[in-house]
Amino acid sequence: MAAPEKLLTPGEPPSLAQAQSQVDPPLINLKPVNWFFDLNRAMSLWPVTFGLACCAIEMMSASMARFDIARFGAEVFRPSVRQADLMMVTGTVTRKMATPLVRLYEQMPAPKYVMACGNCAISGGPFKFDGQYAVVEGVDQLIPVDVYVPGCPPRPEAILEGVFKIQELITGRRWWPLPREMAS
Amino acid sequence: MDLSLAIFVQIIAAVLLIIALMVGNAVVMVYMERKVAGFIQRRPGPYEVGPWGTIQAICDSMKLLAKQLYRPGNVDLILYYLAPVLAFFPVLLLFLPIPFGPWLTALHINEGIVLILAFAGLGVLSNLLAGWASNNKFSLLGAARAVAQTVAYEIPMILALLAVVFLSGSMDLKRITEQQGQWPWEWNILLQPLAFFIYLVSLVGETNRAPFDLPEAESELTAGFHTEYSGMGFALFFLSEYANMLLVSFVAAVFFLGGYKGPIADGFWWLFIKAYAVMFFMVWIRWTFPRVRFDQLLNLNWKWLLPLGLLNLWATAIIMKIFL
């Protein structure tokens, strides 16, 4: 018989469960092989079709005509997490959404990367105030985050820059030239 | 046919070449699909990985190769691993009777189209096994849809091909090619435009592609029958989908578009040009039309394509009997 479910008293938020996922070390650890596969991983980051709030609109915008994330090979939005590499947490993570989010992260196969888009996913953003009970203040309380993209919401260019940062994280170098303002 | 050593060696060489063709075709088609999708949506598509994004497909396949192979709990172990392999291997056999050129046929048999249509049904078996073995409701629903759809669309497909078989009096793909001329006005498409249209619609349904991609409808069934497959399992399904597309395009080219015959010089290049034109058409309509509902899909098949196909077959038979 299962233990009776603990009733929440008003004002007490439900406990958050962190993601339990474990990646085995590679069986064959050769530097050139790792370099080759890392290069290929960086050049085809397939995101999950996963949008939580208004930042998801910017994610869609980044994959459409003007900004076109497809140029860098990251446009194949996979509906099934089993085939995806990148989880863009775009928007407010409510406590109710926390459980499915953690489950989706745990279901992704091993080389997996997380991008926290927007202030809500980074720290709770405008929803962070005393006594709030509904929003997770920062998705990094639940799953390990690789790249934070600030903005409310971040512009599509910022999301592209986040993808470049993840590519830099995987391969150890930046692949695309900096914008003129950033280079000077 | 006695299975002498020469034929054995010929078939082994042909199978190796066909595997190379399938993999090369998948690489070309992934690039073409994403590039055409980009152009249709007014964006460049893959652009930065290699010159004009040309090595994008290779990067994708290498990434899928190195992805973790994940097996969810409570799956049927044997069937789960068998299904992607089973999706890949029957397609190999289907390329054997295709005449690539006047002297370039892997296995010349006089009922080639029967072989193709018989083994094309095995492709859907792998979808069914994948959906059943994954122990996932979305997979199972996708698999059930795949079976209903493929079984339904095979019938108008066969009726359309049968009209051409009536016309040429042979099921031999090479003879059907040779009865058509070099120039476009001598091809079967002018004699059987309705059959070509029916075939064109039902080949999209047969290969489970949008607008008829109900087995993997993303908005309803996460990813359909391959929801639980990661890495190479998913890549094999992808590969076999593109190989199936290539096969039905080859059959369309042989039956309606003159096969390897073409202006100036006959040869395999004409077959490839025609097949890739049909494939381009499939990619084009995939990115132009929205997905149909399942009842619309089956209504189109049973209420329109099937009666039209029967009517076409009947008219062909009568005209053949009276005038020829």
Side-chain angles (χ1 to χ4, degrees), chain B residues 1 24 71 123 268 304:
Chain B
M1 182 176 25
R71 180 173 58 81
F268 64 89
W304 288 99

Side-chain angles (χ1 to χ4, degrees), chain A residues 22 36-37 39-41 43-46 63-66 68 70-85 106-112 176, chain B residues 34 38 41-49 56 58-70 72 216 218 221-223 226-231 234 238:
Chain A
Q22 168 204 340
F36 177 71
F37 281 124
L39 192 62
N40 288 315
R41 277 171 195 146
M43 291 307 145
S44 82
L45 287 167
W46 292 3
S63 68
M64 281 300 138
R66 279 187 70 143
D68 196 14
R71 289 178 292 156
F72 309 98
E75 95 277 31
V76 191
F77 281 89
R78 294 307 308 174
S80 168
V81 277
R82 299 272 190 232
Q83 295 136 21
D85 312 295
E106 285 168 350
Q107 281 177 340
M108 280 165 80
K112 52 186 171 186
W176 320 114
Chain B
R34 289 165 73 168
Q41 296 170 353
R42 299 196 64 178
R43 55 191 174 85
Y47 195 75
E48 301 286 348
V49 186
Q56 181 67 59
I58 296 165
C59 280
D60 284 343
S61 53
M62 283 298 142
K63 181 209 68 179
L64 285 172
L65 190 70
K67 195 103 175 123
Q68 181 188 9
L69 262 186
Y70 192 87
E216 37 195 291
E218 288 161 14
L221 312 172
T222 313
H226 55 57
T227 302
E228 294 286 0
Y229 283 89
S230 73
F234 171 64
F238 229 63

Side-chain angles (χ1 to χ4, degrees), chain B residues 73-155:
Chain B
N74 296 328
V75 299
D76 192 325
L77 239 164
I78 299 170
L79 293 186
Y80 182 79
Y81 286 121
L82 190 66
V85 181
L86 210 58
F88 178 75
F89 274 106
V91 191
L92 276 181
L93 205 61
L94 302 183
F95 283 97
L96 286 178
I98 303 270
F100 286 95
W103 296 282
L104 201 63
T105 313
L107 180 67
H108 185 246
I109 46 177
N110 53 1
E111 284 113 8
I113 191 61
V114 178
L115 179 84
I116 289 176
L117 289 172
F119 280 96
L122 268 181
V124 74
L125 179 69
S126 75
N127 295 0
L128 179 64
L129 286 183
W132 176 256
S134 302
N135 193 28
N136 181 320
K137 61 188 171 210
F138 298 122
S139 300
L140 190 57
L141 280 170
R145 282 182 177 188
V147 172
Q149 177 179 339
T150 315
V151 167
Y153 272 85
E154 242 166 28
I155 298 167

